[in-house]
Amino acid sequence: MSTTNTSYRTGENAERAGDYICEAGRRVTLKEGDRFPYCPVTGLDTNWYYAES
């Protein structure tokens, strides 16, 4: 059984490619292994959530 995180912090690596949404509601597209950026709204650390299609 595979377990994946439901949220990620700025600076962590993406476990899979896709779209992620920050706490402020902005969406970014990352490739597997990309680092999660700072919040594009506040410029601070944030939590990111995988955007399920």
Side-chain angles (χ1 to χ4, degrees), residues 9-46:
R9 287 294 293 170
T10 297
E12 292 182 337
N13 294 333
E15 293 179 354
R16 60 181 165 167
D19 290 345
Y20 293 84
I21 300 172
C22 73
E23 292 178 313
R26 291 288 177 92
R27 183 181 293 246
V28 298
T29 302
L30 299 175
K31 295 180 282 188
E32 183 178 336
D34 282 353
R35 287 190 181 256
F36 287 94
Y38 291 104
C39 176
V41 175
T42 66
L44 303 173
D45 286 350
T46 190

